[in-house]
Amino acid sequence: MSVDPLPPAPAVALPTPPPVDLEGPLAAAVAAAWAAKTKPPGSLGMLETLGLQLALIQDRSVPRIAAAEVRVFAADHGVVAEGVSPYPQAVTAQMVANFLAGGAAISVLARHADAALRVIDAGVAADLPAHPHLLDRKIASGTANFAEGPAMSVQQRDAALAAGVAIGRGLAPQTALVLGEMGIGNTTSAAAIMAALTGLPPAACVGRGTGLDEAGVARKAGVVARALAVNRLNAGGAVAQGHAGGVPDSAPTVDALGVLAAVGGYEIAMMVGAMIGAASARAVVIVDGFIATAAAAIALAFEPALRPYLVFAHASAEAPHARWLALLGVRPLLSLDLRLGEGSGAILALPLLRAACALLAEMATFESAGVADRI
Amino acid sequence: MSVDPLPPAPAVALPTPPPVDLEGPLAAAVAAAWAAKTKPPGSLGMLETLGLQLALIQDRSVPRIAAAEVRVFAADHGVVAEGVSPYPQAVTAQMVANFLAGGAAISVLARHADAALRVIDAGVAADLPAHPHLLDRKIASGTANFAEGPAMSVQQRDAALAAGVAIGRGLAPQTALVLGEMGIGNTTSAAAIMAALTGLPPAACVGRGTGLDEAGVARKAGVVARALAVNRLNAGGAVAQGHAGGVPDSAPTVDALGVLAAVGGYEIAMMVGAMIGAASARAVVIVDGFIATAAAAIALAFEPALRPYLVFAHASAEAPHARWLALLGVRPLLSLDLRLGEGSGAILALPLLRAACALLAEMATFESAGVADRI
């Protein structure tokens, strides 16, 4: 990959999510609807916030989850050559087969949640047999080892973004998009993204992933440090002059898309696109754990209008995740010590979205139920 | 009520939950089953713990939730005469009608969770019209004002316990019992129970309830302090010599059943019985918020064998609740700022129990799926 200056914006045209007015008449109507329900004011806590968010996303006072669509993006990572995972790279393709056969955690959870599951080959380093629930969007057979240079070219990044946008934009408006991922090595990619975007030292951004010991975690932090140096990424996401991805004139201080090309993965890039695409179709996006948060952080850095469309499902047991959520100003719905990925945490939050909609739609009011309000 | 010494044990015979062996062959079998699943070890976090707990409760390696039964216990509280709630007492009966008509939060949530809802009149201060989903177990038309003396007699307490036991014991073994309550004034009762059992000062045990202002919370703390003094309850639950409820020779330091008669409520007493009854039938009990925790704390104080049968659903926004859970050594599943009662938090946790069962039953193993295990 060249270090010549590159075009400031991605070649792909990214849609803009419709603006959401937190202070407008729809927000006021939903607040009034909650206040009239037979319960003390505010006593449904985060479900009331969630109901308001869904109403604003769907632009209707009584939101609903008409369908839930799970999209698991799978890709391989050249950085596994650095020994950052206790599992062999072949597991990515094997787990894709497991997703499709119905035996993985996300397969079981999607089935019981009445959600459709589709797997997207964003860049698995194996030829995957065709399957009606597998979408072939392979950009390449895994990224390059980002400890030695950029993970992908800008063209590859933009192709991944465009494929993701198309997947998200194709969703019906009252759909919940449940985002998951699979890719041996991808906690290292997410950690490098976190370090580049937040400016925190690599050691604060790495966790045990699928089960590294302490020495493995230290090695992983070293790999992230090397990746930042090799890719000329400074703390806080400032991209050194001349780096692939460039720094567009109009951009905020962080060149998130440059970071994505440098140390990202194809599944992460495609999730970024899917978030933007889904939001542009007024679909709520349920963000899973550490890897999905990496995609969300990149997307939010260049498209702040995405923010009201995201529901952060859970705080992962992957050590840096809770801190990253806090830095993003996010309070996740669940905290169950999950660290599996696949969208498992996201789909466990889905019943809460459905509950918020049901309560807003079906609860009686003080007046309709003949219940006395406060003295 | 007399202050003569009373029989040390309740007149009602309470069943004993079957013992649960956390170190036995069943526990080992479940741990092995989780370890063989296609996921990094431990990566399903609290769901793995929950699956194990349900297996031990049901005494089978593959647990299931065959049915979910919501039981909402309703009763009135004489202490409302002290001005401890912003809502009039009539709301208890009005909300019972709302539960049965399908318009309350718990009605909506039960319906969408495929759970049966039954309301128990444990002591509502009104004649309730008959309804096929209403059980008449009224002990009295509300408790006496416990700021002036005991809330109920020992005989009334024991009748409430017995009614609760019968309701719990009648459940089929693979049922989840979702416990809820309704009773204007019952956060004051729960606060008094907390103060008596934990020894914390009243101010640390009261919250805003359905919406008191700061002055109201201070008044409520004063009412709790008066209730403890009038009923001769010392900090830490030691009941002063000769108090109704007595201190049985064999009892631990806390006379929880004495506390229950002194400052409890009929819905709380009946929930205590229902927990014990359900556990004796090997049914898991999902404990809701602050009031249900008061019942659980009493039940656990005199029947420690109940412990493995309880799942604590959520940490309430009622200020003292999180602290009480911590004192009980409990980590709740959810923390969503709810403070509604009715079993609303408990039923929101139900999908997590179902998910744990489904994962344990249906996930593939590394061997069956042909996925490579760790290097």
Side-chain angles (χ1 to χ4, degrees):
Chain A
M1 194 170 188
S2 148
V3 291
D4 292 344
L6 277 154
V12 57
L14 296 173
T16 301
V20 157
D21 185 357
L22 293 166
E23 310 290 332
L26 179 57
V30 174
W34 277 129
K37 303 293 189 188
T38 48
K39 59 172 189 58
S43 59
L44 284 169
M46 292 175 79
L47 293 187
E48 298 192 30
T49 316
L50 204 47
L52 172 62
Q53 183 182 3
L54 292 167
L56 293 172
I57 289 172
Q58 299 186 356
D59 196 26
R60 44 185 284 161
S61 58
V62 184
R64 62 192 196 114
I65 306 295
E69 298 282 344
V70 183
R71 296 292 178 271
V72 180
F73 295 84
D76 276 305
H77 292 260
V79 73
V80 295
E82 306 291 335
V84 290
S85 173
Y87 288 87
Q89 186 172 63
V91 166
T92 303
Q94 290 164 354
M95 283 302 294
V96 167
N98 195 25
F99 295 148
L100 295 168
I106 189 60
S107 321
V108 174
L109 294 172
R111 193 157 60 229
H112 285 267
D114 195 22
L117 170 64
R118 299 291 179 269
V119 184
I120 296 96
D121 177 1
V124 179
D127 286 332
L128 301 177
H131 186 285
H133 295 165
L134 175 68
L135 281 70
D136 178 6
R137 299 291 184 273
K138 196 194 296 279
I139 305 295
S141 290
T143 49
N145 179 357
F146 59 65
E148 298 181 341
M152 65 188 81
S153 71
V154 166
Q155 291 71 24
Q156 288 172 320
R157 176 199 68 193
D158 290 350
L161 287 171
V165 165
I167 287 168
R169 194 146 52 172
L171 298 171
Q174 286 146 28
T175 297
L177 174 61
V178 178
L179 277 184
E181 45 57 46
M182 174 72 214
I184 296 298
N186 69 6
T187 60
T188 304
S189 176
I193 291 168
M194 180 177 174
L197 294 187
T198 65
L200 287 170
C205 302
V206 296
R208 295 183 184 277
T210 51
L212 289 175
D213 59 15
E214 222 163 294
V217 173
R219 188 171 57 244
K220 190 169 164 180
V223 169
V224 169
R226 192 143 46 91
L228 297 181
V230 164
N231 285 285
R232 304 177 64 186
L233 296 172
N234 300 330
V239 177
Q241 189 63 29
H243 175 267
V247 183
D249 290 335
S250 63
T253 52
V254 170
D255 175 25
L257 292 176
V259 170
L260 177 60
V263 296
Y266 296 123
E267 80 281 45
I268 294 174
M270 229 173 264
M271 282 195 286
V272 172
M275 289 178 187
I276 301 281
S280 74
R282 289 194 172 280
V284 60
V285 178
I286 311 183
V287 181
D288 194 41
F290 188 55
I291 324 294
T293 296
I298 288 169
L300 290 171
F302 75 86
E303 183 50 271
L306 174 66
R307 183 57 175 270
Y309 292 87
L310 302 183
V311 169
F312 286 81
H314 77 119
S316 164
E318 181 74 356
H321 190 223
R323 184 173 186 177
W324 203 357
L325 293 175
L327 288 171
L328 291 168
V330 163
R331 178 175 168 193
L333 290 170
L334 302 172
S335 186
L336 298 167
D337 288 349
L338 303 176
R339 49 181 172 80
L340 176 56
E342 303 180 3
S344 54
I347 197 148
L348 288 169
L350 181 61
L352 298 176
L353 277 70
R354 287 174 165 153
C357 292
L359 291 163
L360 200 44
E362 299 175 27
M363 271 185 78
T365 63
F366 283 103
E367 193 176 347
S368 72
V371 174
D373 207 339
R374 294 151 64 106
I375 299 167
Chain B
M1 194 172 190
S2 149
V3 291
D4 292 342
L6 277 155
V12 56
L14 296 173
T16 302
V20 156
D21 185 358
L22 293 167
E23 309 289 333
L26 178 57
V30 174
W34 277 129
K37 303 294 189 190
T38 47
K39 59 174 188 55
S43 59
L44 283 169
M46 292 175 80
L47 292 188
E48 298 192 29
T49 316
L50 205 47
L52 171 62
Q53 182 182 5
L54 292 167
L56 294 172
I57 288 173
Q58 299 186 357
D59 196 26
R60 44 185 285 162
S61 57
V62 184
R64 63 194 195 112
I65 306 294
E69 298 282 344
V70 183
R71 296 292 178 272
V72 180
F73 295 85
D76 276 306
H77 292 259
V79 74
V80 295
E82 306 291 335
V84 289
S85 174
Y87 288 87
Q89 185 172 66
V91 167
T92 304
Q94 290 164 353
M95 283 301 295
V96 167
N98 196 23
F99 296 148
L100 295 168
I106 188 61
S107 320
V108 174
L109 295 172
R111 192 157 62 229
H112 284 267
D114 194 24
L117 170 64
R118 299 291 179 270
V119 184
I120 297 96
D121 176 2
V124 179
D127 286 331
L128 301 178
H131 186 285
H133 294 164
L134 175 68
L135 281 71
D136 177 6
R137 299 289 185 275
K138 197 195 293 280
I139 306 294
S141 289
T143 49
N145 179 357
F146 59 64
E148 299 181 341
M152 65 188 82
S153 71
V154 167
Q155 291 73 24
Q156 288 171 319
R157 176 198 68 193
D158 291 350
L161 288 171
V165 165
I167 287 167
R169 193 145 54 174
L171 298 170
Q174 287 146 28
T175 298
L177 174 61
V178 178
L179 277 184
E181 45 57 47
M182 175 70 214
I184 297 299
N186 68 8
T187 59
T188 304
S189 176
I193 291 169
M194 181 178 174
L197 294 187
T198 65
L200 288 169
C205 301
V206 296
R208 293 184 186 276
T210 51
L212 289 175
D213 59 14
E214 223 162 295
V217 172
R219 188 171 60 244
K220 189 169 164 180
V223 170
V224 169
R226 192 143 47 91
L228 297 181
V230 164
N231 285 284
R232 305 176 63 185
L233 296 171
N234 299 329
V239 177
Q241 188 63 30
H243 175 267
V247 183
D249 289 336
S250 63
T253 52
V254 171
D255 175 26
L257 291 176
V259 170
L260 178 59
V263 296
Y266 296 123
E267 81 282 44
I268 294 174
M270 227 172 265
M271 281 196 286
V272 172
M275 289 178 187
I276 301 281
S280 73
R282 290 194 171 280
V284 61
V285 178
I286 311 183
V287 180
D288 195 39
F290 188 54
I291 324 293
T293 297
I298 288 169
L300 289 171
F302 75 86
E303 184 51 271
L306 174 65
R307 183 58 175 268
Y309 291 86
L310 302 183
V311 170
F312 287 81
H314 77 119
S316 164
E318 181 73 356
H321 190 223
R323 184 173 188 178
W324 203 357
L325 292 176
L327 288 171
L328 291 168
V330 164
R331 179 175 168 194
L333 290 170
L334 302 172
S335 186
L336 298 167
D337 288 349
L338 303 176
R339 49 180 171 81
L340 177 56
E342 304 180 3
S344 55
I347 197 146
L348 288 169
L350 181 62
L352 298 176
L353 278 70
R354 286 175 166 152
C357 291
L359 291 163
L360 201 44
E362 299 175 27
M363 271 186 79
T365 63
F366 282 103
E367 194 176 345
S368 72
V371 174
D373 207 339
R374 293 151 64 105
I375 298 167

